[in-house]
Amino acid sequence: MKFDLDQEQRDFAASIDAALGAADVPGAMRAWSTGDTAAGKRVWNQLSELGVTALTVPEEFDGIGAHLVDLVLAMEALGRWCVPGPVVESIAVAPVLLAGAPDAAERLAPLAAGELIATVALPPHTPRAVDAEAADLVLLAEDGKVNQAQAGTRHASVDPSRGVFDVTATGESWDADTARAYEVGALATAAQLIGAGQAMLNTAVDYAKQRTQFGRVIGGYQAIKHKLADVHIAIELARPLVYGAALSLADDSPDAVRDVSAAKVAASDAALLAAHSALQTHGAIGFTSECDLSLWLLRVQALRPAWGDATAHRRRVLEAI
């Protein structure tokens, strides 16, 4: 089987890149870390105008009802630009959980329009909700049931732009496919990791072409070339697994759980290698708060355990085979 994106999908990805490239996303990230979400929400408004927030909302609720491949495409772009906020939870997971809610139409339509940002806790692998203080809707899902929830204690994250919160259920629950919501969350997180890894590779390559040491650009040294080539290979091997998992999950394949976990593990490993290599290429300056690379370094460390860490997903692959 040969898989490739069609021109419409490529144009969609290019439109996201163009919009986010024109926005000051690093500035929005830094402001979000201090509790100022205004700039970040303007970025979200741009995403809603492109239809990103409506991707997985069913058409009967004013959404697009897009294929999971389109979701992966968007999430990869959002990871590449390090967009702040509960991206996976609001765009990918919440529509799955809200589909069976008694007031689904009242919640899904504004979610699709970008007027509402949601976040989700789904124990045991996602016991806390990301950015609950900035979200308009907090959900707690477990064992086929979903409750609206309220945020409690805030816990620090390795990524200062991603506060995580204890949540407490409020009101009556409704039935939802929480198992599928978890798979979609893990898939979307894997796509974000691929995007972040690609961004760090691009940044490291650009830096290696400019930085001079001992009278020559450091990109001319084989040690640097080989290091960055290894990152390129890791990302290019992980990316097809993520898109393959999207196809598998969309088709309700019996191997979907295995495929999603394999994709999450490969994407996590590739992004970690990209982070290490980009930091080594930049040197200590890469980890300073003034350097944009630091934003991706911290985001990757936060996303790797999100929606199931590598140990949990490797265990699921082992059980499947």
Side-chain angles (χ1 to χ4, degrees):
M1 180 184 71
K2 181 180 179 181
F3 172 79
D4 197 8
L5 299 173
D6 61 33
Q7 190 57 49
E8 185 177 351
Q9 290 170 319
R10 293 180 185 278
D11 290 343
F12 177 53
S15 69
I16 298 175
D17 277 327
L20 295 179
D24 180 15
V25 180
M29 275 278 291
R30 291 184 172 95
W32 195 284
S33 300
T34 67
D36 181 1
T37 61
K41 289 188 175 180
R42 285 196 293 271
V43 173
W44 276 71
N45 288 338
Q46 290 180 290
L47 295 177
S48 67
E49 291 172 3
L50 294 170
V52 174
T53 55
L55 276 175
T56 57
V57 176
E59 292 184 51
E60 59 264 36
F61 301 117
D62 298 330
I64 296 175
H67 195 280
L68 286 176
V69 166
D70 299 309
L71 173 66
V72 165
L73 193 67
M75 285 293 163
E76 185 177 343
L78 270 54
R80 191 159 52 246
W81 290 98
C82 215
V83 173
V87 171
V88 168
E89 292 75 13
S90 190
I91 298 173
V93 180
V96 179
L97 298 177
L98 289 171
D103 55 351
E106 297 175 14
R107 297 185 188 274
L108 284 171
L111 191 71
E115 298 167 359
L116 181 149
I117 296 177
T119 189
V120 176
L122 205 163
H125 295 301
T126 308
R128 293 173 177 150
V130 173
D131 291 320
E133 63 185 359
D136 306 296
L137 175 65
V138 181
L139 300 175
L140 174 61
E142 190 173 13
D143 298 330
K145 297 288 185 181
V146 184
N147 287 84
Q148 186 168 335
Q150 61 183 12
T153 304
R154 186 184 196 276
H155 298 269
S157 167
V158 65
D159 179 355
S161 71
R162 281 173 58 90
V164 290
F165 292 78
D166 293 330
V167 297
T168 304
T170 59
E172 296 183 0
S173 64
W174 63 87
D175 295 332
D177 192 346
T178 55
R180 183 174 182 81
Y182 177 73
E183 303 303 333
V184 173
L187 174 68
T189 303
Q192 272 201 295
L193 284 163
I194 292 294
Q198 186 67 60
M200 289 186 290
L201 174 60
N202 294 345
T203 300
V205 169
D206 290 342
Y207 185 80
K209 290 178 179 178
Q210 299 171 9
R211 177 77 165 91
T212 59
Q213 190 77 357
F214 305 114
R216 59 185 292 194
V217 295
I218 63 173
Y221 293 104
Q222 282 193 343
I224 299 294
K225 289 181 179 179
H226 291 175
K227 186 183 298 293
L228 298 181
D230 287 343
V231 175
H232 174 72
I233 291 169
I235 292 172
E236 290 304 309
L237 289 175
R239 183 179 280 116
L241 291 179
V242 177
Y243 281 93
L247 292 171
S248 182
L249 187 57
D251 293 340
D252 294 321
S253 166
D255 297 323
V257 168
R258 179 203 65 187
D259 294 344
V260 168
S261 285
K264 180 64 161 57
V265 170
S268 297
D269 290 350
L272 182 61
L273 180 62
H276 286 168
S277 300
L279 181 56
Q280 289 166 354
T281 301
H282 280 72
I285 193 174
F287 204 71
T288 61
S289 59
E290 293 81 7
C291 183
D292 289 348
L293 176 63
S294 65
L295 302 177
W296 279 275
L297 295 175
L298 296 175
R299 175 58 58 88
V300 164
Q301 293 295 347
L303 288 179
R304 288 180 66 243
W307 294 93
D309 61 19
T311 299
H313 284 290
R314 283 192 171 94
R315 184 180 299 114
R316 295 208 310 171
V317 174
L318 178 62
E319 292 170 352
I321 60 178

